[in-house]
């Protein structure tokens, strides 16, 4: 079956104005591929990075890395999905902002019946990110303390609930009292309004001067130095995003001076590159959701033809929870 699908593309890097909605042909899947008809698409900061050129794409390019829908056809060698299956994914290549697409099957995951398409589109990139932060990056156990920046965002609210389900103390930061309350409502032990409080001083106060075991920081430039300053000796800094810009160069000697600190800059796509690992990670995430440990909060919905407004809201930090594009 060959047809066309509305797809969001960019022909140059830039602001939200470069986003275009066009009709593109959708072909048949080849070996190792599936064709999926989307029901909803996810919105993530990595989409902004790709649009602006911080993470450059070969142009012209379709945008989007997360969606949920129904499998229409499978290519040779695909045995974990079949036509009619519900499915969701957070993986490349980009092109999820579309009504339908053909894509590699390995990282497309069967979606349990108890999870809606909207939830699937809202949770995969953010939820799998939280899974690798808590389960794969550094050993974490009940009683450990984590500082998590942007705790009221889509990743943050899942992280708050994940930490609570594992007995981990999560100290969050957010940009308003309302957002702090949202993080507290979702399982954060404490939340610091960084607009009105000095977050490093507050963290030291909350931990009796000991600091935290791990920092999970997707903010980047604005929080990096403060984050290093609140780690315990031998603590782990996980820098997994650049919302305020890339972290500037720093001396590795700082890590020694502050207590033999460790630092990593992971990406989700490294963690899910192996097919079986990706499927196993998704199963743990789905289990948390179906058990009720994690509830997926969708606070913003935009039609696909309002994708520029969705990007504007995300960049202006006017969003909480997850945002989806409706089809």
């Amino acid at each position: 079956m060959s047809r066309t699908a509305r797809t969001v593309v960019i022909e140059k890097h830039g602001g939200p104005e470069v986003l275009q909605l066009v009709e593109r042909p959708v072909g048949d899947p080849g070996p190792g591929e599936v064709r999926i008809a989307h029901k909803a698409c996810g919105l993530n900061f990595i989409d902004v990075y790709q649009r602006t050129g911080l993470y450059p794409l070969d142009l012209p390019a379709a945008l989007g890395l997360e969606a949920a829908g129904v499998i229409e056809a499978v290519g040779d060698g695909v045995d974990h999905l079949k036509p009619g299956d519900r499915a969701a994914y957070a993986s490349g290549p980009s092109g999820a902002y579309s009504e339908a697409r053909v894509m590699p099957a390995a990282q497309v995951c069967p979606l349990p019946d108890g999870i809606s398409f909207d939830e699937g589109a809202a949770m995969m990139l953010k939820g799998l990110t939280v899974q690798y932060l808590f389960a794969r990056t550094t050993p974490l156990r009940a009683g450990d303390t984590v500082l998590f920046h942007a705790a009221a965002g889509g990743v943050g609210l899942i992280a708050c609930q994940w930490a609570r389900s594992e007995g981990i103390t999560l100290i969050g930061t957010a940009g308003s009292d309302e957002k702090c309350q949202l993080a507290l409502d979702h399982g954060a032990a404490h939340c610091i309004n960084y607009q009105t409080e000095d977050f490093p001083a507050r963290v030291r106060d909350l931990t009796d001067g000991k600091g935290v075991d791990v920092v999970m920081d997707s903010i980047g430039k604005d929080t990096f130095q403060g984050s290093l300053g609140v780690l315990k000796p031998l603590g782990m800094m996980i820098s997994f995003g650049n919302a305020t810009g890339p972290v500037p160069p720093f001396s590795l000697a700082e890590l020694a001076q502050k207590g033999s600190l460790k630092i990593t800059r992971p990406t989700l796509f490294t963690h899910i590159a192996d097919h079986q690992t990706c499927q196993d990670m998704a199963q743990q995430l789905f289990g948390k959701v179906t058990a009720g440990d994690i509830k997926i909060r969708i606070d913003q919905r935009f039609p696909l033809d309002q994708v520029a407004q969705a990007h504007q809201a995300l960049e202006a930090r006017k969003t909480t929870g997850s945002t989806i594009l409706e089809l």
Side-chain angles (χ1 to χ4, degrees):
M1 178 178 71
S2 181
R3 58 185 176 87
T4 63
R6 292 187 306 153
T7 303
V8 176
V9 301
I10 58 171
E11 295 181 349
K12 61 182 180 180
H13 295 297
E17 71 279 356
V18 303
L19 298 165
Q20 304 177 51
L21 186 61
V22 302
E23 290 279 347
R24 291 185 114 190
V26 181
D28 294 321
E33 294 181 330
V34 295
R35 186 174 66 239
I36 182 169
H38 293 148
K39 300 296 185 180
C41 312
L43 180 76
N44 298 282
F45 243 105
I46 191 172
D47 308 340
V48 174
Y49 301 155
Q50 292 184 335
R51 190 204 74 219
T52 62
L54 180 63
Y55 298 169
L57 299 173
D58 292 331
L59 302 176
L63 281 192
L65 291 164
E66 178 182 44
V70 177
I71 301 297
E72 290 188 338
V74 302
D76 291 342
V78 177
D79 56 15
H80 70 292
L81 294 164
K82 64 183 185 302
D85 281 353
R86 307 169 79 253
Y89 66 88
S91 63
S94 61
Y97 291 179
S98 62
E99 292 175 319
R101 68 182 298 202
V102 170
M103 65 180 297
Q107 282 68 44
V108 181
C109 303
L111 184 66
D113 290 339
I115 300 175
S116 71
F117 289 120
D118 285 0
E119 289 171 324
M123 70 184 279
M124 291 299 289
L125 193 144
K126 301 170 187 67
L128 290 174
T129 295
V130 173
Q131 196 279 342
Y132 84 68
L133 289 172
F134 280 84
R136 292 175 55 82
T137 307
T138 192
L140 278 168
R141 55 188 179 274
D144 285 346
T145 301
V146 168
L147 174 64
F148 199 101
H149 290 295
V155 178
L157 292 183
I158 295 174
C160 290
Q161 296 173 82
W162 195 293
R164 179 172 58 188
S165 75
E166 302 278 334
I168 294 165
T169 299
L170 186 145
I171 301 171
T173 71
S176 70
D177 289 343
E178 292 77 15
K179 287 186 175 183
C180 283
Q181 188 59 54
L182 194 58
L184 294 169
D185 291 344
H186 283 75
H190 310 278
C191 195
I192 301 162
N193 181 345
Y194 60 77
Q195 299 284 6
T196 60
E197 295 184 89
D198 176 8
F199 83 80
R202 183 68 177 134
V203 170
R204 286 191 289 270
D205 179 57
L206 289 169
T207 60
D208 295 324
K210 296 175 183 177
V212 299
D213 298 285
V214 178
V215 175
M216 300 177 180
D217 189 344
S218 64
I219 302 301
K221 176 173 65 70
D222 287 359
T223 52
F224 181 76
Q225 284 297 330
S227 294
L228 286 183
V230 300
L231 279 167
K232 292 178 179 178
L234 305 178
M236 169 66 85
M237 171 72 177
I238 307 174
S239 176
F240 70 102
N242 317 280
T244 60
V247 173
F250 71 101
S251 171
L252 286 177
E254 286 189 51
L255 302 181
Q257 294 161 2
K258 294 179 184 295
S260 302
L261 303 181
K262 294 163 284 190
I263 187 167
T264 184
R265 178 57 175 90
T267 71
L268 170 63
F269 304 112
T270 307
H271 282 278
I272 65 171
D274 175 73
H275 164 70
Q276 192 57 53
T277 300
C278 177
Q279 301 297 320
D280 292 345
M281 290 170 64
Q283 285 303 310
Q284 186 182 14
L285 172 62
F286 294 153
K288 293 271 191 188
V289 174
T290 56
D293 291 333
I294 292 173
K295 298 187 186 305
I296 305 303
R297 183 180 176 118
I298 302 170
D299 287 347
Q300 298 80 212
R301 299 169 184 267
F302 294 85
L304 189 61
D305 60 7
Q306 292 181 15
V307 63
Q309 292 94 313
H311 273 233
Q312 289 167 349
L314 184 63
E315 289 180 276
R317 300 195 187 185
K318 293 182 178 177
T319 64
T320 56
S322 296
T323 303
I324 62 169
L325 301 173
E326 298 179 314
L327 297 164

